[in-house]
Structures are given as C-alpha cells and as structure tokens.
Amino acid sequence: MIRTATPADIPVIHTLIRELAEYEKAPQEARATEEQLREALFGDHPAAYAHIAADDTTGEPVGFALWFLNFSTWRGVHGIYLEDLYVRPTARGAGHGKALLTELARLCVARAYGRLEWSVLDWNRPAIDFYESLGARPQDEWTVYRLTDEALTGLGTA
C-alpha cells in the first residue's frame, strides 16, 4: 500500500531517514529535524514531497520515498529527483520499493514529466541490481559534485 505522506507522518519519516543514514554508513550526516521536514514537506512553499509504503496487513509504515521536482533544459519539462528511497530490512522483498518507484513513475507519466532519476552508492549492489531489474540504467558519463559545510560557506561568502 502506497500513500501520500501527511503531516502526521513526520516522526516516522524522520526515523526512516535516520535508519537510511545508518544503512548508508553515514549516521552523522542525517541532521534534519522534524521541524525542518515539516516545513519542507508541508510548509507554505513545499520543497519536497513524500510517499509512504505501508504494510498491507497492519498498515504500519515500512518505507518511504522523498522526492522533489527538477527541470531538464534539454527536454523542456520537469522530472522527479528521488532523494531517498528506503524500505526497512524486515519488509524488503515484499514489493514495497517497486511500488514506491511505480507510484513515482505514474506521477511522471500523468504529469508529462520527462524523467525519474536518483543516485545510488556504488557499493550498494542489492539496490543497483534492483534498479537495473526495473530497467533503470546508470549514467556513467556523469559525476556528482557537491559543495557543503565550509566549502559552501567559503564560496557563498567570497
């Protein structure tokens, strides 16, 4: 069962983000607060959106997808950038991850968005195999760059 997140889901989204950070071996990087998530997802000007995967029997949240719109200058249309996709280990293999991606693909098709894209850690072979089984292909010719912390502040105050 996939549903659009509501403000009541903020605590579970926050918990799932922390679990994902642990899985990705970077718990110290997950610094977002519940209040920041509430503002980003449900404030006056939402910056991101989320869907919840719930257990079909209990209705308990077992995963989430958090995404935002991007824009392709080459295609001239929006796309979805999937920031986080996470399913709890105890719920993996039951189709929740595929259902979340299917829902985002449906949104893309319904809204005439040109792409659904995301990043995956190069060591996460189970995720890579899963994504490729759905037809996703790596963009080998691109390298992601990022400015954060001191480098971002230094450049932004130069």
Side-chain angles (χ1 to χ4, degrees):
M1 177 173 76
I2 305 301
R3 62 177 175 75
T4 302
T6 69
D9 292 312
I10 291 297
V12 76
I13 292 170
H14 188 255
T15 298
L16 292 168
I17 289 169
R18 307 250 346 134
E19 290 177 22
L20 173 61
E22 288 282 341
Y23 175 77
E24 292 185 348
K25 304 173 185 158
Q28 71 285 356
E29 297 296 324
R31 296 181 267 185
T33 66
E34 288 187 19
E35 188 52 43
Q36 287 173 312
L37 292 171
R38 187 177 321 284
E39 182 63 27
L41 294 170
F42 303 107
D44 291 338
H45 304 285
Y49 308 91
H51 285 78
I52 300 293
D55 181 271
D56 292 334
T57 305
T58 66
E60 288 297 312
V62 295
F64 80 113
L66 193 143
W67 57 276
F68 55 88
L69 293 178
N70 59 15
F71 185 81
S72 169
T73 57
W74 290 14
R75 292 181 174 231
V77 295
H78 281 294
I80 287 178
Y81 186 84
L82 176 60
E83 179 66 22
D84 286 334
L85 175 71
Y86 178 73
V87 175
R88 288 184 162 143
T90 56
R92 291 183 188 153
H96 300 294
K98 183 177 181 181
L100 285 163
L101 285 170
T102 298
E103 179 61 22
L104 296 184
R106 283 185 185 134
L107 283 174
C108 286
V109 171
R111 298 176 183 179
Y113 295 163
R115 60 175 66 143
L116 170 57
E117 59 189 356
W118 60 92
S119 297
V120 61
L121 291 165
D122 60 5
W123 57 259
N124 194 346
R125 191 80 240 165
I128 292 167
D129 292 344
F130 168 63
Y131 298 143
E132 289 182 355
S133 78
L134 299 176
R137 296 294 170 251
Q139 301 298 297
D140 293 333
E141 66 275 12
W142 293 92
T143 300
V144 176
Y145 281 82
R146 179 177 295 157
L147 282 171
T148 61
D149 302 323
E150 295 83 20
L152 178 63
T153 301
L155 184 61
T157 58

